[in-house]
Amino acid sequence: ALLEVRALGTGRVQLNGRVVDSWDGVLPRSLFFYLVDRGLATRSEIFDTFWPNLTTREATNVFHVTKRKISEVLGVDLTVYWSGFYRIASNIDLQYDSALFTEMVQASAVAEPDEAMRLLTYATSLYQGDFLSTVEMEWTQKRRQEMTQNYGEALIALGKLKEQAGSIEEALGLYVRASATNPQREDLARSIMLLYRQLGMHDDAIATYKRLEAELDNTLGVSPARSLQELLTEIQTEAERVM
């Protein structure tokens, strides 16, 4: 069975080309994505995530009922129990965007520049939205934060490769997208300001600093680093000279 799972975004599932969108409740769908995302999970990990306040007996009953519903929805058993772990059944060919994203990013770290650029371009194209944006549970919130951070790092890495290749505008666009995932990063703001400066877009460089300044003040109560303040002064002086 070919199982295609897209967790980057609202969450979409296809089994052998058939869209699976009727889950008979929120719990079966949430447990399905958890089992797919984990790959391997112990019973205690599952119980602690979904039913921490139930007794083991109660959690066991709810788990097996929910797992049976998943099998009924899919028409196949998603997992098998092996050596203390629930894992994806061997007769399922799983294509999972979050895992593929991570694999591409990790591979790019040891690849040559051209190959790294290709891998990162593909990885960032997989990111169609925040991880399971429609599921609000503690485990999804944690994974969402991790994936967002990884996405930002991938954008920065790709931006650096584009900058080294002389594609300044592409690099700038990637840095700006990355800044949305972590608006407090001073090194990223600096890269954006320098590229805007290089392109003669002084007002945009100044606006970048002002956004960072407001973000740091509102969240941490601090000002940007002195080096950034000095860069701002240089850019403002250049802007006045141009005018």
Side-chain angles (χ1 to χ4, degrees), residues 13 18-26 28-29 69-70 72-74:
V13 180
R18 173 179 62 89
V19 175
V20 180
D21 54 10
S22 180
W23 290 94
D24 194 20
V26 174
R29 181 174 185 265
K69 285 185 178 182
I70 294 174
E72 292 172 353
V73 167
L74 295 177

Side-chain angles (χ1 to χ4, degrees), residues 24 27 41 47 73 86 104 110 116 130-131 147 179 183 187 192 199 212:
D24 194 20
L27 185 55
F47 289 1
V73 167
Y86 286 93
M104 296 294 102
V110 294
D130 290 336
F131 182 87
M147 292 300 295
S179 69
D187 61 331
I192 294 171
L199 293 169
L212 173 68

Side-chain angles (χ1 to χ4, degrees), residues 1-4 13-16 18 20 23 32 35 66-80 88-93:
L2 174 60
L3 181 63
E4 300 172 85
V13 180
Q14 286 187 219
L15 182 68
N16 293 328
R18 173 179 62 89
V20 180
W23 290 94
F32 166 85
L35 293 170
T66 307
K67 192 160 69 71
R68 186 175 69 249
K69 285 185 178 182
I70 294 174
S71 297
E72 292 172 353
V73 167
L74 295 177
V76 296
D77 289 332
L78 176 67
T79 60
V80 295
I88 303 300
S90 59
N91 64 323
I92 289 180
D93 178 14

